[in-house]
Every structure is written in structure tokens, then in C-alpha cells.
Amino acid sequence: MTLPISTVTVTPDSAVFTGETVNLKCVIESDHSDWTYEWYKDRNRVKLQSDGRYTVNRDTLTIRGAAESDQGQYWCRGQRYGRPNSSQSSSAVSLSVTALPRSTVTVTPDSAVFTGETVKLKCEITPYYSNWRYEWYKDTHRKSVLQVSKLQTLTIRGAAESDQGQYWCKGQRSGRPNSSQSSSAVSLSVKDLKPKPELRSDPAGTALTGNTVTLTCNTDLSTGWDFYWYKNTQDSEIKTTRTNSYSMKIDSVSDGGQYWCRAGRGEPVYYTQYSDELTLSVTESPKAVVTVRPDEHVFRGETVTLRCDIKWRGNTEWTYRWQIEQTGQHNHYNYNQNNQHKNTVSRSSTQELKISRVEVFHRGKYSCTGQMDTQISQRSDAVALTVSSDEAQAAVRVSPQPWLTEGHSVTLICEVPGSSTGWTFSWFRDADHLSDSSRGAGGSYTLSPAALQHTGVYTCRAERGEPAYSSQNSSAQPLWVTGVSASVRLVLRPSRSQHFSSDSLSLSCDSAGWTVRRYTHANTQDCSAQTGSTCGIQSLSTSDTGVYWCESESGEKRHPLNITVHGGAVILESSADPVIEGETLTLHCLHRSTISSILTADFYKDGSLIQNQTTGEMSIPTVSKSDEGFYYCKTKSRESPHSWISVRASSSSPLLVVGVSVGLTVFLLLLILLVLLLRHKKRDQHHNNQQTSTPVPTRSGESQLENVPLQSEPVSDVTYSEVTVKKKKSMDKDTMPESTNVTYSKIRKNMKKDINSAGPSDLIYTEINMKDEKKTKSKGFGLADVLIKMKSKEKRSGQSSESGDTLYSEVKQNTDRGF
């Protein structure tokens, strides 16, 4: 038979607060009523007995003034005298005893307040139960309630110094629990001084557009304040922030002006005083500029310097920041190097970024900015640095052409293709450095006037940077200067500038002691088949194309001629020597198979068609300087090589000008002589006229006798004039050579004795030199300056009864030609 079941119930059936009464009841399911009840706690076998706090009344255990020590596990069991004499033990019931609800006071604002502010004190009870009434106490007046309200918050408006002190609260309610614990006291401080913040800006003073300026409203206040920002007037609020700093992006100079700040808190808002005014100046941000030395296009191995310049307020200290934008990737190795270089550039803070021995991976777009404190300049425009994978190669060209006559001008131009900045140049002739090579003169080397000794093979080299970087030497450029009239001539057989390959050619110097030399494929060498002054080539090849000349044992070069050997079917027949201005130029288009004129051929000059022929021949009846150029002929399917045809000025034109000059000079001389004769006539008018024999100078300056009128005095007067014109070099219509044209005049007046050697003898001697001191570039012959020198001498030796006056004028023109 099963023993009766026991069950424990608890009143109240929820958490019990300290100080409350708790009833536990033991219920036994049995028809018997004579049970005796036993109570146990926490599985202890010790029965609970009635004492000051516990009371056992039949089936009920009462705990008065419960304490936290009373919480635990409770169970019961019944006993009787008879059967069954015991019930089953009940299941344990847990009793929880907790403290009364806690009270806490919070204050807003949670720090010192200022007179006039609104203060709010809030009483919070945990755990929360409804229907609390809140009691407020101040200072030590614990029995004197300051306020009792259903509202949790005690509000003090317009706080005064008398309101400061210690505040606490507790809750009261009907039911259980009917009270909370008292809160801890909180201290309220009330200050009478209204605070005033200090406004600062970073950067201080002037700000740059495009940057950020941070305004700070400094106070010694605690947290919980809002900050209000004003511009230009204290009524113009522009921003409210939760913190005491305000960052502004400066977009334009109009963002400058007067600024204020103040702080505020509470509801209604309690404001501090305004800060003092802060003036923010804004100027346009300067833009950085990147320059590159020596150039934006450089070659491998050069040293490159990039410089960042910022013009703003003189010598302001800037910190520089470089950036590079990669413009290309190469192999993996160079790609890694490029990344490493890019990182190095981005960390660089120097004004100049120097790259020694630049490589291809350094190419890219470089830009920079400057930073001064927290302000940053505008970023510079990017400069693209291009690095050529090859070394620099100088190139030389000639203007107007490499063939010229002595006395003319020619300019050699040295340049580095693809690069034109910062180069200086050195010139070489026949591998010898020219001391007058005009370093740094833009790569131009001018010969004016050109002379025979300037003939040679010219090369140049470019250099720039620090340390100096040198280009490769240019390819060779031959320059050939031909004399006006060569003292030694190179004779060609057949006499033309173009020849077919496999043909024979004979070249000879017309003076003994001279040999034929040539320049082909950048090499100067003797003729391969030299016999004395003659060079014979039995079978020409295209490698024989070049310049041939006569050279003496001392190295003098004379009469260079350009020879072209063509492997094709058509050549242009033209003279290798220059054509004289005014003469007829005849060109033929020859075919290899016939060595005769082709029936139909077109003729071109400098790439333009000038004549369409049906006879294979073209003539220019009167050649002028404008006819100079490159000529070639063309059939339907074949084209000849190009030949330069030079036109040399004739000697007649300048002689005409000299004749006019001499005529003017003689006229001037006669006028002077007339004045002199009148002077002598007056001085000798007391003499009688008589007949005498007077020597007259001949062309060579010797005297011969002539019959002249007799003078009253034995005096003989002779006036002698000689004009000599010398021309050392020929002249064309474009350029006057360096030679001097001389007009030389002598006027002699001799007063000789008669046969008896009586009477005075007067000699008047006048010399007039007309010299061409300077060249002229006009097409006509430049008229020389005239220098007139007059010398006069008088000699008296005796008296003569005869006197004779003779006027004699002689003009000589001699032409000496250069070589």
C-alpha cells in the first residue's frame, strides 16, 4: 500500500522581500486527520522548531521578518499513530528572499550647473513596480520630505545658489513591497558665473582654398553641451554640433569672414556667452609646377631631375609630396622595379626628385603637391616622363646642300631626333675636333665664306646634363668646296656625273704630283687602280659611288666631283662640273642598252615635273642661279638617280659694275684735277707761253716725248692718273666672296725743267683706293667704299722758259682667280 503524498505551498508565491512574512503549508493527501507535521530545510534532517522567527502551527510554517538567510529549499512529511504512520516526504520548494527595490538618483546636467539653468533629478527604482510614489529629501532633513509626487523627476527651474546641496529619494507604494530602499545622496553644485568659450582655428590665420579648416570652441565645461556656430553676425547660426569642433571645407575665398561660437544645454536651452570674434582669411591655393631637367624626353642612362615649385608668399617652407602614375608595364622584373620606384616617389618629401641613370621603367606621369602645416597646395599638372629604350644618336644635315663654291655659305646642323632641349654640340672634321665648334650654339656650325680647306667629312656629337651624358656620334656628312677656277682639275672620261655599273671610268689629275682619292661609304681611300695621276676603273659597281678629287702630297684637296654608279637601266647625263650662269644646260636620259637618249622621258627638278619630252633631251638655254637643284629623268617604268646641278655665276656682271664704279671715280678725279690746274695757272700767269717737248707716260708708266705749247716760263707741268681694278675671286649674284675689289688711281702732276733746267718743278700726287671692305648679299655687285688719299709735294729746282701740262688717265683691270 502506497504512503500518502505530501505537498508544500508558499504564500506569497513569488519572490519575497526582506522583512516580509512567509507562510509555507504542508498538504497530505489522506483520509486521516490526525497527522503531525514535520518541516525540514535544505535537506537537513533537523526538524524546524518554533522560535522567535519560525512558528509551526499544525500544517503551516510561518517565517516573520524574512531575511536573505531564510532563502533555501523547504519540504515536509506527516507522522501519526496508526497505519499508515507516515506520509511520503514532499518535494522541496525553493524560497527566494531579496532586498527591497533600490533607489537611484540621476541629475541632468550631471555636473556643476549655472544660475538660471534648469536642473532635473530623476529617481529610478529597480526592479520596477507600478504605483510608486516618489519621496524627495534634501541635505540632512531626512524626516522632512521636500516633495512627494507620482513623477519620477524633480525639476528645479532657474537654479540659484541656494539650490545646491545633497539630494536623495525613495519609493512608497501600497501592496508588497510597500517601500524601496533610500537612494544614495547626490551633490548639486550651482555656480553664479556664466562661462565664455574661446574660439580657435587650425590652421591659424590664413587658409587656402581646397583645404579644410577646423574651428574649436574651447571651454572647461563637462560633456553634454551642444555647440553653436555663427558667421559674420551673431544672429546667423550656420551649424550646431555635438562636439566642440567644426571642420569646414574651404571652397572659395568667400568662406573667409568673422566667426563666433557658444555652447548650450538643457530644455529650455541654457547658453554660454559668445566667444570673441575670430577672423578667418582665405586666399586662393597656389598650384604646384613640375619642371624636368634636361627634358621630358630622355634616353636610358641620363640623369633626370624633377623639381616642384610653388610660388606663394616668398620663401614659405613647404613639404613636398610626389606622385607617379604608371604608364606602362614591361616584364615582371621591370614591373617590380617600377612598383618599388613608385613607392619611393610617393614617400619622397624633397623639392627635387633626382633619378640617376634613368631606365625605361621610370617612365610615367609625375605630379606633386606642397604641404604647409595642415594646408595643401593645388596638385600640379602631370608631366609625362618618356624614357627611350635606346641611347641618344646625333644626326647631321646640311643646308642648303653639301656642294658649294668657295666664297659661298653653308650651315651644318646637328640634332638629336626626338629631343631638342638642353644639348650642346661638338663638331669634328675628318675625325679631328674643331676648336671653333660653337658649343651650345643650337647645333649649327656655319662656314661663311666657305674655303677650299673646309672640304672634309663632318660628324657631330651632342651632350647635356650634369653629370654630362653624351650621344653617339652622328653618321658622316661629307662637305665639298669647289674653287672658282681650279688650278688642278679632275678629268673624267666619260665626262658625266652618273654611270652604269659594269662600265669603265677613267679619272685623272691634269697636274703632276697629284693623285686621285675618293670618299665612298664613309671611308676615304686611294683609287684602287692608280697609275701616276690617273685612276682607271674597268668595271664600275654601285660601291664605287662617292666623291672623287685630286690630292697633293701635303693633303691639299682640289676639284671634288660627285660620281654615282647606278645598277638600273636609266641614268641622267649631266656634267659633273657646275654650269656657268648664262650658258645652256642640256640633259639627256640614257638607257643602259644603247648608251643613247631615250625617245620618251620626263624630267624632274626637286621632285616636280618640269618638262615632258619625246626626245629624251631637255635644255635650259640661259641658266640662272634659280635653276640649281636635284634633277632626274623618268621613263614609264624606270627612274634615274638624282644629281645635284650647281650654277656658278659668270664673271661679266661684276665687271660691268666695276666699270660703272671706275667711271664715277675718274669723273671725280678729273674734277679735282681741274681745280688743281686752275690753281697752278693763276700762280704761273706771269710766264709766257712757249713750245716745249714734254715726256708723256705710257701704259707701263714710262715717258715719251710729245710736242706741247711753249710756256713763257721754263716750267713743265705733268698730271698723271692711273686707275687699277683688281678682282681676286669670282662673284655670283647671290653672294659676294671674301676677296677685295680694288680701284687704284694715281694722279701725278710734274712740273719739269726745260732743256736748260731753269725754273721750278712742282709735283702733285693723288692716290685714290676703292676697296671692298665687306661682303654684300644683294644680287648686284656691292659698290666699294671709296677712300681718297691726296698727297701733294712741291719741288723747286730752277727756272725754265718752257712749261707743259699733260692729263693722262689709265684704267687697268686684272682678274686673279682662287683655287
Side-chain angles (χ1 to χ4, degrees):
M1 181 175 179
T2 305
L3 293 176
I5 299 173
S6 301
T7 304
V8 175
T9 61
V10 181
T11 303
D13 60 356
S14 59
V16 177
F17 295 95
T18 57
E20 286 192 290
T21 298
V22 181
N23 293 314
L24 294 92
K25 185 176 181 180
C26 185
V27 179
I28 300 174
E29 296 179 4
S30 172
D31 295 334
H32 303 283
S33 60
D34 55 347
W35 293 97
T36 300
Y37 297 88
E38 297 177 351
W39 290 92
Y40 300 90
K41 178 185 179 187
D42 296 331
R43 296 297 179 182
N44 294 324
R45 293 300 177 179
V46 178
K47 291 190 297 183
L48 296 176
Q49 302 294 331
S50 296
D51 58 18
R53 296 180 57 241
Y54 292 98
T55 299
V56 177
N57 182 13
R58 288 184 53 82
D59 60 351
T60 302
L61 173 64
T62 302
I63 304 174
R64 291 180 175 83
E68 290 184 10
S69 60
D70 293 326
Q71 65 184 9
Q73 303 289 323
Y74 290 83
W75 51 279
C76 70
R77 184 178 64 181
Q79 296 288 342
R80 64 186 291 271
Y81 297 101
R83 297 183 62 224
N85 60 358
S86 177
S87 69
Q88 298 182 36
S89 294
S90 69
S91 298
V93 173
S94 179
L95 176 63
S96 175
V97 179
T98 61
L100 287 172
R102 296 184 301 275
S103 299
T104 305
V105 175
T106 59
V107 182
T108 304
D110 61 353
S111 59
V113 296
F114 300 90
T115 54
E117 275 196 272
T118 297
V119 182
K120 293 183 178 181
L121 297 95
K122 185 176 182 181
C123 187
E124 294 181 345
I125 301 175
T126 305
Y128 174 76
Y129 295 98
S130 59
N131 299 323
W132 288 104
R133 291 176 64 85
Y134 299 93
E135 296 178 354
W136 289 96
Y137 301 87
K138 180 187 177 187
D139 296 333
T140 59
H141 307 293
R142 294 184 179 272
K143 295 181 180 180
S144 175
V145 177
L146 181 65
Q147 176 179 306
V148 178
S149 172
K150 292 183 177 180
L151 299 176
Q152 284 183 278
T153 303
L154 172 64
T155 302
I156 303 174
R157 291 180 172 84
E161 288 185 279
S162 61
D163 291 320
Q164 65 183 9
Q166 302 289 321
Y167 289 83
W168 67 89
C169 73
K170 73 175 182 177
Q172 295 288 344
R173 64 188 288 268
S174 60
R176 45 176 306 275
N178 60 2
S179 176
S180 71
Q181 299 180 50
S182 294
S183 69
S184 299
V186 295
S187 179
L188 176 64
S189 175
V190 180
K191 293 183 178 181
D192 186 39
L193 180 63
K194 194 172 187 179
K196 180 178 182 179
E198 179 185 15
L199 181 59
R200 295 179 181 177
S201 67
D202 184 20
T206 302
L208 304 178
T209 57
N211 287 268
T212 298
V213 172
T214 299
L215 300 176
T216 303
C217 196
N218 291 318
T219 66
D220 57 358
L221 305 176
S222 59
T223 59
W225 294 83
D226 291 330
F227 293 86
Y228 302 87
W229 307 90
Y230 306 86
K231 180 184 178 185
N232 294 335
T233 66
Q234 294 179 350
D235 296 331
S236 301
E237 181 182 322
I238 59 173
K239 188 74 173 178
T240 302
T241 61
R242 298 291 300 180
T243 63
N244 68 333
S245 63
Y246 169 42
S247 294
M248 300 184 301
K249 178 67 179 297
I250 304 299
D251 295 320
S252 68
V253 294
S254 62
D255 290 325
Q258 286 72 45
Y259 287 83
W260 294 267
C261 75
R262 64 175 176 170
R265 67 181 178 185
E267 185 62 41
V269 179
Y270 171 82
Y271 292 101
T272 67
Q273 299 182 61
Y274 287 95
S275 69
D276 290 334
E277 171 190 302
L278 182 144
T279 299
L280 178 65
S281 298
V282 177
T283 61
E284 194 70 30
S285 178
K287 186 173 183 179
V289 177
V290 174
T291 55
V292 185
R293 296 193 310 269
D295 192 12
E296 296 176 16
H297 178 200
V298 293
F299 299 87
R300 288 182 58 240
E302 285 198 81
T303 295
V304 178
T305 302
L306 298 101
R307 180 181 174 88
C308 186
D309 285 301
I310 302 173
K311 294 183 178 179
W312 192 73
R313 290 193 173 182
N315 299 322
T316 302
E317 292 295 330
W318 293 90
T319 299
Y320 300 88
R321 293 290 181 268
W322 290 91
Q323 284 190 350
I324 177 174
E325 178 183 343
Q326 185 176 335
T327 58
Q329 297 182 3
H330 309 286
N331 58 49
H332 181 69
Y333 173 72
N334 281 343
Y335 175 74
N336 289 339
Q337 284 185 316
N338 198 0
N339 280 343
Q340 183 178 359
H341 173 64
K342 184 177 180 180
N343 293 335
T344 301
V345 169
S346 63
R347 292 194 300 268
S348 177
S349 60
T350 59
Q351 185 175 15
E352 288 191 344
L353 183 64
K354 190 172 184 178
I355 307 173
S356 299
R357 298 194 60 81
V358 68
E359 294 291 343
V360 175
F361 64 79
H362 289 117
R363 66 175 54 165
K365 294 181 178 179
Y366 291 77
S367 60
C368 71
T369 55
Q371 183 171 344
M372 179 181 58
D373 298 326
T374 60
Q375 299 293 284
I376 300 176
S377 72
Q378 297 184 56
R379 179 165 297 281
S380 69
D381 293 333
V383 173
L385 179 65
T386 303
V387 183
S388 175
S389 58
D390 300 323
E391 293 184 359
Q393 175 68 56
V396 65
R397 56 188 175 92
V398 64
S399 177
Q401 72 275 332
W403 290 89
L404 69 156
T405 305
E406 61 176 334
H408 290 190
S409 296
V410 67
T411 298
L412 295 160
I413 302 164
C414 188
E415 55 196 358
V416 178
S419 179
S420 59
T421 303
W423 296 100
T424 58
F425 300 89
S426 297
W427 288 92
F428 304 85
R429 179 172 62 231
D430 299 333
D432 294 327
H433 181 262
L434 298 175
S435 60
D436 61 341
S437 58
S438 303
R439 291 175 61 86
S444 295
Y445 182 58
T446 300
L447 300 172
S448 178
L452 295 178
Q453 65 267 25
H454 293 142
T455 295
V457 179
Y458 289 78
T459 56
C460 70
R461 183 176 65 230
E463 184 179 279
R464 72 177 178 184
E466 183 63 39
Y469 170 85
S470 297
S471 71
Q472 298 292 317
N473 281 10
S474 70
S475 57
Q477 171 62 58
L479 185 66
W480 309 104
V481 183
T482 306
V484 175
S485 178
S487 58
V488 178
R489 296 181 58 81
L490 177 62
V491 180
L492 304 179
R493 295 185 181 84
S495 180
R496 60 174 183 257
S497 61
Q498 295 185 16
H499 301 267
F500 291 110
S501 58
S502 301
D503 284 357
S504 61
L505 175 64
S506 173
L507 306 96
S508 60
C509 299
D510 63 359
S511 297
W514 295 76
T515 58
V516 178
R517 300 205 74 198
R518 66 179 182 174
Y519 175 83
T520 59
H521 301 287
N523 292 314
T524 300
Q525 54 188 329
D526 293 330
C527 182
S528 57
Q530 185 82 31
T531 304
S533 297
T534 301
C535 170
I537 304 176
Q538 297 303 316
S539 180
L540 291 167
S541 68
T542 54
S543 62
D544 292 315
T545 296
V547 178
Y548 293 74
W549 66 89
C550 293
E551 187 168 319
S552 67
E553 294 181 358
S554 62
E556 294 181 86
K557 300 178 180 67
R558 293 292 184 270
H559 203 208
L561 296 177
N562 191 30
I563 304 298
T564 302
V565 180
H566 186 46
V570 176
I571 63 173
L572 180 70
E573 182 181 42
S574 63
S575 173
D577 285 312
V579 183
I580 304 301
E581 192 173 24
E583 294 183 353
T584 298
L585 171 63
T586 301
L587 304 175
H588 295 88
C589 199
L590 303 183
H591 195 276
R592 176 186 289 272
S593 60
T594 60
I595 314 298
S596 60
S597 296
I598 299 172
L599 293 179
T600 302
D602 296 331
F603 290 86
Y604 292 80
K605 175 180 178 285
D606 297 330
S608 299
L609 178 66
I610 57 173
Q611 199 162 341
N612 183 285
Q613 296 289 334
T614 58
T615 61
E617 177 183 302
M618 188 197 82
S619 294
I620 300 177
T622 304
V623 173
S624 66
K625 194 68 177 177
S626 62
D627 293 316
E628 269 191 344
F630 285 98
Y631 288 79
Y632 65 96
C633 65
K634 187 177 182 181
T635 65
K636 290 183 179 180
S637 59
R638 304 296 174 91
E639 181 180 310
S640 75
H642 297 207
S643 281
W644 173 264
I645 294 180
S646 179
V647 178
R648 181 182 300 163
S650 64
S651 59
S652 59
S653 296
L655 287 179
L656 290 175
V657 177
V658 171
V660 174
S661 302
V662 171
L664 292 173
T665 304
V666 171
F667 174 77
L668 181 61
L669 294 175
L670 291 176
L671 185 61
I672 295 171
L673 290 174
L674 180 60
V675 174
L676 294 174
L677 289 175
L678 290 175
R679 174 185 172 190
H680 282 281
K681 287 296 183 181
K682 289 181 179 180
R683 190 176 60 181
D684 299 335
Q685 63 182 354
H686 60 281
H687 296 289
N688 295 324
N689 294 331
Q690 55 184 351
Q691 195 84 8
T692 184
S693 296
T694 305
V696 180
T698 64
R699 183 179 182 87
S700 62
E702 297 177 354
S703 297
Q704 60 182 3
L705 293 177
E706 284 186 345
N707 292 326
V708 297
L710 296 176
Q711 302 291 328
S712 59
E713 295 290 337
V715 177
S716 176
D717 293 347
V718 177
T719 300
Y720 171 81
S721 176
E722 178 181 356
V723 178
T724 304
V725 178
K726 294 184 178 181
K727 180 181 180 184
K728 292 187 176 181
K729 295 185 179 180
S730 64
M731 298 162 287
D732 59 27
K733 64 184 178 180
D734 295 324
T735 306
M736 181 172 178
E738 202 174 35
S739 59
T740 304
N741 295 323
V742 179
T743 299
Y744 179 80
S745 177
K746 296 179 180 179
I747 304 175
R748 292 188 179 92
K749 181 174 181 181
N750 297 328
M751 300 180 63
K752 296 191 175 182
K753 300 177 182 180
D754 59 8
I755 299 175
N756 298 323
S757 300
S761 174
D762 295 344
L763 172 64
I764 296 178
Y765 175 87
T766 300
E767 176 180 333
I768 300 176
N769 291 336
M770 182 175 70
K771 296 183 178 180
D772 181 8
E773 300 287 349
K774 299 181 180 179
K775 298 182 297 179
T776 177
K777 294 185 179 180
S778 62
K779 291 188 176 181
F781 177 76
L783 194 59
D785 298 332
V786 178
L787 176 63
I788 300 178
K789 298 180 180 178
M790 301 185 65
K791 301 178 181 179
S792 178
K793 297 181 180 179
E794 291 188 4
K795 295 182 180 180
R796 298 179 181 273
S797 58
Q799 294 184 352
S800 172
S801 61
E802 299 180 13
S803 177
D805 291 346
T806 301
L807 176 64
Y808 175 79
S809 178
E810 178 180 9
V811 177
K812 295 180 181 180
Q813 177 167 329
N814 298 328
T815 302
D816 298 332
R817 297 190 179 272
F819 300 94

